[in-house]
Amino acid sequence: MSHTRNYIVETYELTKRFGEIIAVNSVSFKVPKGIIYGLIGPNGAGKTTLLRMLVGILKPDGGRGYILGKDITSLSPKDRTRIGYMTQHKALYMDLTARENIDYFARINGVKDPSKRRELVDNIIDLLEIEQWANKLVEHLSGGAQQLVSLACALVHEPEILILDEPTIGINPILRRKFWAYFKSLRDEGKTLIITTHYIEEAERCDTVALMHNGRFIAVGKPDELRALVSKERILTIDILEGIINLDKLKKAEDRLEVKIRIKNNQIIASFKSFDAIPELLSLLKNLGLRIRAIDIHRYSLEDVFTHLISSKGE
Amino acid sequence: MDTHNVFSISLRIFRQIKRDRRTLGLMILAPILVTLLFSWAFSGEITNVPVAICNEDVGLQEKVSDIIIQILENNSNMNVTLNDIEAFNKLGSEYQAVVILPEHLTEDLVLSGTAEIQIYINVTTYLEAQVLTQYLLNNISKALRDFLGINETHIIINQTVQLPLQQPPMSYFFNVCILDCDVGFRTVLGVLIVEQLKENPDINLKVVSTRDTCYKSVINSESVAGIIIPGNFTSCILLKKEAKILAYINGVEREEVLTAFKAIEEAIDSVIVTMFGKRIIELSKEYVYGSEEISMIDFLAPSFLGFIAMAFAFIISGVLFLRERLLGTLERMLASSLTQTEIVLGYLLSFLVVATIQSTLIVVTTCFFSTQILNNFLFIYFLVLLLAMGSVSLSIFLSSYMKTELQVVQMIPIFIIPQIFLSGLIIPLRSFPEILISVAYLLPLTYYVDAVKKITFMNATLHDIWLQLAVLTAYFLLGIFLSIKKFRREIA
């Protein structure tokens, strides 16, 4: 049954209960083709449950969902071969080699022809640069390497959509950057990725981010759009090297400069809307006899946004 | 269903088993070692063995006195009168001799070979006395020889010769009165043996009235031995000093047969040996099933194949499947193009191969001692595989209720070890109390053991073991049904 062609995943008030707990509560969302869709939220937000429903291994209690235009409650074996699923746990056979694991998952995802399979397995091993581990037993590999092999198992049969549950959990920042480089290149090949994470900085790398909390989507949008939900303001942080900070005098300038100022240790933190305010603020500081060590200007982080959203909506 | 998928799973499981050297070693060595251990005889305390007995013994019909009387009557030189109560008053007038055959004449003669026969003679001449004495002794000896086959009998003769004053004419014709008190040999030895057997707690004796019933009782496996005590049992023992007891035997129940035989020999000893001082009975054995040449390993190997296949299939598949669940590979498989049925079938297929290899190892080991098992091995393999598949599917189902591998191992004392004892593999089922026997009939191995024993030793056909086959199939189907249903529930 084909639903809407434009979207790879669509759900309408998808709900899942485990006894008293509503793990996923009326979630409706749409994922267009060729993007990285990030699901972010604290542990227990319902991210994994949502993914398990999408890949058809958990039946929803309410609502509808479609993946690749097919109803998620009646995916055929052939439909499933178009999906790549990487579970939160590494989900590998520890007593098999990396190559044997990858080969097995290619087999059970419909790659029957041995030469074709060999080619695909070699490709993914090349792509993820895991040749040096290919013939080692998975149990002897480091956590990061196992995570790469697990990703390879989800990718090997060249699925159209990748559903990755916390793919970068517990791996070092350098490897994590490498993972995201793969994700971006996969997206650029036209594949769609749905990725859960609880690293805020990873959410910044997604094309669309949904914030999940207590089984609900509490915000969806591009990272910039989400930031705009909170404020268009930027933040200036000034480290003071010498001098006594007189908050009263600074506060008097707030209205004129259209900034908001607070003090934290030896830092002056000012939120502002227009960059025009900055030279004036700096000259004011100079007049007050303060010497500046460093200046930093940045936007609100998603972390700030989510903390804000969760504290306002989550309660 | 896609066979490619099923093969993929099986192939992967083989790889895993191959990697785990210790488990692989155990799977190969354990069946061989245990088969070798079993090749040494096992013997245990067995009681309540069902034995049927048919006692046709009529006892000793004849009396020694009858024979003596008959021979004396046939003697033309004598006129025999029987049991004249006035005999002694007439001694010397009407009768020249009175012979007293005592009450225990037959009994004493057959048991000890001696007896006291009193002869009173009253004649007028020494010559007559000598002639008469000779007649009587010769004839009595002849009677004993004819009847008992004994040449020497101690006969005590009270001889009184009354000599008159004048010599009357010599006569060689005598009137003899015989007082026959002999009651014969009234004990029926067969009855004594039956009584002894009844008292033995090791066997559960069933007294039947015809040889045919006795034989059928063994054929139908109601009894492990059917004993026939022939009609002439007592007379043969007494008169020929040898007798035969026939035993129909179900040689398949080797341990039980040994117990039954021990009981029978004890009974014979307590009756015959105490009476005659030696065992003069030949126990002639006729094997209804099996034969005496069959060794312990012949009995155990076919049943043992099933046990090994069942135990390994259960434990290894349970552990492997639990691991899939814990590590998340099961979740991945469910999200793949595999169906739940294919997953279960993949497991079944790999353990079919494992069971076949293990069974072959046992068969080969057994063949070092005996090749009996080769006679029906295709039939046995079929049953082994059915049993192994049931174990795998049940194990997959049960593993979903377990959280650690240790919990799977805990199933060994719960599910595996009871089957060693309760399946009739080593110890006959009959030796357990009834409540345990009903437990035994819940266990699949019981039906397997029953079926292979029938096939191996009773020339059973499919028709004879349809019940066992049906139960094993049901056990397998139930396992498949439960394991797939369990998957569905997990997905829901």
Side-chain angles (χ1 to χ4, degrees):
Chain A
M1 187 184 78
S2 181
H3 205 255
T4 316
R5 296 230 157 141
N6 303 339
Y7 296 105
I8 296 292
V9 167
E10 288 169 87
T11 72
Y12 299 95
E13 301 190 336
L14 208 57
T15 301
K16 181 72 196 177
R17 289 184 197 88
F18 294 113
E20 296 286 293
I21 300 159
I22 304 176
V24 173
N25 193 350
S26 279
V27 168
S28 304
F29 75 112
K30 290 176 180 173
V31 181
K33 189 175 177 346
I35 67 159
I36 299 177
Y37 194 101
L39 278 175
I40 186 158
N43 287 331
K47 306 185 297 284
T48 299
T49 306
L50 179 60
L51 294 194
R52 295 183 70 190
M53 284 195 282
L54 292 183
V55 299
I57 60 177
L58 205 58
K59 285 222 163 39
D61 293 321
R64 286 167 297 139
Y66 303 91
I67 188 164
L68 299 162
K70 306 289 168 82
D71 190 325
I72 56 172
T73 59
S74 56
L75 294 174
S76 71
K78 199 164 191 306
D79 298 333
R80 290 171 192 272
T81 63
R82 297 166 65 195
I83 305 169
Y85 176 45
M86 179 174 168
T87 54
Q88 193 166 0
H89 305 287
K90 283 153 203 151
L92 297 169
Y93 297 100
M94 295 293 152
D95 42 5
L96 299 184
T97 65
R99 181 183 283 279
E100 285 165 346
N101 267 286
I102 299 167
D103 179 77
Y104 175 67
F105 285 106
R107 269 173 176 273
I108 67 170
N109 277 298
V111 190
K112 293 184 185 177
D113 177 41
S115 59
K116 167 80 176 162
R117 198 167 59 236
R118 191 173 177 81
E119 187 192 320
L120 286 177
V121 172
D122 285 342
N123 282 351
I124 199 73
I125 287 173
D126 282 350
L127 176 72
L128 298 184
E129 300 165 61
I130 50 178
E131 297 90 344
Q132 73 269 36
W133 302 313
N135 295 319
K136 284 192 176 156
L137 295 187
V138 171
E139 63 186 342
H140 297 148
L141 300 184
S142 69
Q146 289 181 350
Q147 206 77 359
L148 272 170
V149 175
S150 179
L151 179 65
C153 291
L155 292 179
V156 62
H157 59 291
E158 300 190 317
E160 295 162 46
I161 175 164
L162 281 159
I163 299 205
L164 312 175
D165 196 359
E166 309 242 3
T168 57
I169 194 164
I171 61 175
N172 68 52
I174 298 167
L175 192 56
R176 197 182 303 163
R177 203 168 297 160
K178 204 166 153 187
F179 266 79
W180 279 94
Y182 298 138
F183 297 158
K184 288 219 159 79
S185 68
L186 288 165
R187 178 197 59 193
D188 295 342
E189 285 170 25
K191 297 191 192 300
T192 309
L193 295 91
I194 297 180
I195 298 173
T196 67
T197 180
H198 56 242
Y199 295 115
I200 302 287
E201 68 269 27
E202 291 192 342
E204 305 266 6
R205 292 171 172 154
C206 298
D207 297 313
T208 302
V209 176
L211 173 65
M212 243 188 131
H213 184 66
N214 284 342
R216 288 177 180 278
F217 274 24
I218 57 176
V220 183
K222 295 189 166 88
D224 278 344
E225 290 169 354
L226 288 181
R227 267 188 285 271
L229 285 177
V230 181
S231 170
K232 291 201 167 69
E233 292 173 348
R234 291 172 192 247
I235 296 166
L236 175 69
T237 310
I238 305 163
D239 275 15
I240 302 299
L241 183 67
E242 255 180 50
I244 297 151
I245 303 168
N246 186 331
L247 185 62
D248 288 344
K249 285 188 177 167
L250 289 175
K251 282 278 182 193
K252 279 177 190 163
E254 271 189 340
D255 287 346
R256 185 170 50 87
L257 299 176
E258 291 187 320
V259 294
K260 280 193 168 165
I261 295 172
R262 58 198 170 90
I263 292 172
K264 193 174 147 193
N265 300 331
N266 258 2
Q267 282 186 330
I268 295 168
I269 299 166
S271 57
F272 63 95
K273 285 178 181 155
S274 164
F275 281 99
D276 297 344
I278 295 174
E280 287 196 47
L281 182 61
L282 292 177
S283 62
L284 176 65
L285 295 180
K286 196 180 175 189
N287 292 341
L288 290 172
L290 299 170
R291 283 183 63 196
I292 295 167
R293 191 213 309 260
I295 294 177
D296 181 32
I297 299 173
H298 60 87
R299 298 183 295 182
Y300 270 101
S301 70
L302 278 180
E303 187 168 5
D304 300 325
V305 176
F306 293 153
T307 313
H308 175 80
L309 286 175
I310 286 170
S311 58
S312 62
K313 291 194 184 179
E315 279 153 16
Chain B
M1 194 196 70
D2 190 332
T3 48
H4 174 269
N5 284 344
V6 175
F7 282 127
S8 298
I9 297 172
S10 301
L11 196 71
R12 187 259 301 167
I13 294 173
F14 287 141
R15 277 205 175 118
Q16 288 184 287
I17 292 175
K18 201 180 81 188
R19 284 282 148 68
D20 189 349
R21 290 279 158 82
R22 257 178 245 180
T23 306
L24 185 67
L26 187 70
M27 289 168 96
I28 292 173
L29 286 178
I32 296 177
L33 283 178
V34 185
T35 308
L36 288 174
L37 280 177
F38 272 134
S39 67
W40 282 291
F42 172 92
S43 103
E45 279 295 306
I46 296 164
T47 58
N48 219 18
V49 176
V51 173
I53 193 158
C54 169
N55 180 20
E56 294 182 333
D57 191 5
V58 290
L60 187 64
Q61 300 287 307
E62 303 92 338
K63 298 190 288 184
V64 176
S65 60
D66 292 343
I67 310 291
I68 294 172
I69 291 164
Q70 200 191 341
I71 286 179
L72 290 177
E73 276 177 342
N74 288 344
N75 192 298
S76 53
N77 293 328
M78 280 184 218
N79 177 30
V80 175
T81 308
L82 274 180
N83 297 337
D84 185 348
I85 49 168
E86 295 284 316
F88 281 98
N89 292 340
K90 296 174 185 170
L91 184 63
S93 52
E94 231 171 281
Y95 305 126
Q96 281 79 52
V98 174
V99 178
I100 303 175
L101 299 175
E103 187 182 351
H104 297 294
L105 177 67
T106 309
E107 200 176 306
D108 289 347
L109 280 171
V110 293
L111 295 181
S112 62
T114 64
E116 188 181 292
I117 296 173
Q118 292 181 336
I119 301 174
Y120 297 88
I121 292 175
N122 190 330
V123 286
T124 47
T125 63
Y126 283 110
L127 190 58
E128 277 177 313
Q130 270 176 351
V131 170
L132 179 52
T133 304
Q134 215 51 54
Y135 277 164
L136 287 171
L137 283 182
N138 284 347
N139 282 309
I140 289 171
S141 295
K142 182 178 184 316
L144 294 181
R145 211 168 37 244
D146 286 357
F147 185 57
L148 294 173
I150 48 178
N151 288 320
E152 293 198 16
T153 315
H154 301 278
I155 297 173
I156 297 158
I157 296 175
N158 291 307
Q159 191 175 331
T160 322
V161 181
Q162 292 180 351
L163 296 173
L165 292 172
Q166 60 191 83
Q167 296 227 339
M170 296 263 283
S171 161
Y172 294 114
F173 188 86
F174 307 101
N175 287 317
V176 177
C177 179
I178 301 174
L179 298 176
D180 179 13
C181 303
D182 189 8
V183 291
F185 191 86
R186 281 176 300 183
T187 312
V188 181
L189 295 175
V191 172
L192 291 182
I193 289 177
V194 172
E195 293 304 318
Q196 282 292 323
L197 284 174
K198 270 184 186 163
E199 281 167 22
N200 193 325
D202 289 351
I203 62 170
N204 178 8
L205 197 69
K206 177 181 163 196
V207 180
V208 297
S209 52
T210 65
R211 284 179 180 235
D212 196 42
T213 327
C214 195
Y215 180 70
K216 279 192 181 138
S217 174
V218 180
I219 288 273
N220 302 335
S221 299
E222 287 160 16
S223 308
V224 296
I227 313 291
I228 308 281
I229 301 177
N232 59 0
F233 183 66
T234 304
S235 18
C236 283
I237 287 177
L238 298 179
L239 306 179
K240 295 184 192 152
K241 301 294 178 212
E242 58 178 32
K244 229 182 220 181
I245 288 179
L246 177 64
Y248 295 115
I249 297 160
N250 177 358
V252 180
E253 305 295 346
R254 187 189 166 94
E255 295 301 317
E256 290 190 299
V257 167
L258 290 178
T259 306
F261 269 47
K262 200 170 143 242
I264 293 164
E265 277 166 6
E266 275 171 13
I268 291 172
D269 283 353
S270 74
V271 174
I272 308 299
V273 178
T274 44
M275 208 174 270
F276 299 96
K278 56 182 175 181
R279 186 183 294 174
I280 47 180
I281 291 171
E282 183 195 335
L283 198 54
S284 114
K285 301 172 187 177
E286 188 173 306
Y287 280 82
V288 175
Y289 301 121
S291 76
E292 204 162 14
E293 290 78 51
I294 293 178
S295 62
M296 201 64 202
I297 201 162
D298 284 320
F299 284 95
L300 284 172
S303 307
F304 186 57
L305 289 180
F307 170 73
I308 286 284
M310 190 251 342
F312 274 91
F314 189 85
I315 297 298
I316 309 283
S317 64
V319 168
L320 284 182
F321 208 81
L322 181 75
R323 259 189 231 165
E324 301 244 30
R325 213 178 279 278
L326 295 179
L327 286 174
T329 47
L330 179 64
E331 185 171 341
R332 257 197 166 147
M333 285 204 285
L334 289 171
S336 76
S337 72
L338 296 176
T339 63
Q340 292 107 323
T341 313
E342 284 165 357
I343 295 174
V344 175
L345 289 180
Y347 263 78
L348 287 179
L349 178 66
S350 48
F351 283 92
L352 280 187
V353 177
V354 169
T356 309
I357 293 171
Q358 288 187 318
S359 299
T360 308
L361 287 173
I362 297 174
V363 168
V364 171
T365 314
T366 307
C367 283
F368 279 102
F369 303 95
S370 157
T371 53
Q372 156 98 20
I373 196 169
L374 295 178
N375 296 345
N376 297 292
F377 85 102
L378 281 180
F379 209 164
I380 294 173
Y381 267 41
F382 170 69
L383 289 167
V384 166
L385 297 186
L386 192 57
L387 181 71
M389 289 197 299
S391 278
V392 172
S393 52
L394 196 68
S395 170
I396 289 175
F397 168 67
L398 288 176
S399 74
S400 62
Y401 292 99
M402 295 169 196
K403 291 186 177 62
T404 65
E405 295 183 13
L406 191 63
Q407 286 177 347
V408 178
V409 174
Q410 282 162 5
M411 287 304 288
I412 295 176
I414 296 170
F415 186 71
I416 307 289
I417 294 179
Q419 297 206 70
I420 298 182
F421 295 102
L422 287 178
S423 62
L425 176 69
I426 299 170
I427 305 162
L429 262 189
R430 276 184 281 257
S431 38
F432 291 102
E434 234 162 73
I435 186 143
L436 278 180
I437 294 178
S438 44
V439 172
Y441 280 104
L442 293 176
L443 302 171
L445 193 62
T446 311
Y447 294 90
Y448 169 83
V449 169
D450 211 13
V452 290
K453 277 190 175 170
K454 286 199 161 115
I455 290 168
T456 316
F457 304 109
M458 304 188 186
N459 302 318
T461 58
L462 271 182
H463 174 74
D464 300 315
I465 57 157
W466 70 268
L467 176 71
Q468 289 82 353
L469 211 54
V471 173
L472 288 176
T473 311
Y475 166 68
F476 164 57
L477 292 178
L478 181 76
I480 294 242
F481 171 77
L482 287 176
S483 53
I484 291 177
K485 192 177 164 206
K486 183 73 193 160
F487 275 147
R488 297 254 156 87
R489 190 169 307 153
E490 273 169 35
I491 289 167

